[in-house]
Amino acid sequence: MIAIAEDDFSLDELVRKAKRDDAGAMVIFLGMVRDDGIEKMELEAFQEAALAELERIADEAAGRFHLTSLDIVHRVGSLSVGDNIVAIVCSAAHRDEAFRGCRYVIEELKSRTPIWKKEIGERGERWAGNE
């Protein structure tokens, strides 16, 4: 599943879906809103372009790292400290492939996907860049 959603996702459901007989390893990345002086975060996306780019990234990662399963869910909307932002679940025959595939997906997502975040706190608002 590749999705952009306003509602929270179930990590348990993503893990259950990713378990396969041909997978010996699963790596999960869960990005959350951290408390670094903000009260909330607003995430926006150019939905069609973001989904298309996530699909390309998923195809690249699956082929390059021989992933047996890959799910990416990224949230949009207004989120509070502690809320889930993004989940990436990669399964592969071996742990190195699963780790490398998951790392590739998050790094490419951050640099290529048209999803933007605005941090809102006591010091005002600021659009956060892709780091």
Side-chain angles (χ1 to χ4, degrees):
M1 166 178 40
I2 308 296
I4 296 174
E6 288 190 22
D7 294 329
D8 201 4
F9 46 81
S10 166
L11 198 53
D12 287 341
E13 182 180 320
L14 292 169
V15 168
R16 259 193 313 278
K17 183 178 174 262
K19 285 188 176 183
R20 302 171 52 120
D21 290 343
D22 57 349
M26 182 184 304
V27 172
I28 301 158
F29 174 83
L30 178 63
M32 303 161 293
V33 179
R34 73 176 170 272
D35 182 1
D36 60 355
I38 67 169
E39 296 167 5
K40 67 179 183 173
M41 178 181 290
E42 293 180 2
L43 291 116
E44 297 179 9
F46 176 10
Q47 294 262 358
E48 297 82 13
L51 283 171
E53 194 62 33
L54 290 175
E55 290 283 353
R56 279 190 286 277
I57 292 167
D59 289 344
E60 292 166 9
R64 190 171 177 180
F65 302 103
H66 312 290
L67 302 178
T68 58
S69 177
L70 172 57
D71 293 302
I72 307 168
V73 181
H74 201 297
R75 294 190 56 205
V76 292
S78 184
L79 304 178
S80 299
V81 171
D83 285 348
N84 296 328
I85 301 172
V86 61
I88 301 168
V89 180
C90 293
S91 296
H94 305 284
R95 69 179 175 271
D96 187 53
E97 295 165 330
F99 273 110
R100 291 174 56 212
C102 193
R103 175 81 185 222
Y104 179 84
V105 170
I106 191 60
E107 297 300 336
E108 294 300 309
L109 181 157
K110 296 286 286 178
S111 68
R112 294 170 38 186
T113 306
I115 299 174
W116 306 279
K117 60 183 179 179
K118 182 180 1 176
E119 297 175 343
I120 302 167
E122 291 179 13
R123 295 172 280 173
E125 301 177 355
R126 78 173 189 96
W127 287 97
N130 289 341
E131 49 282 332

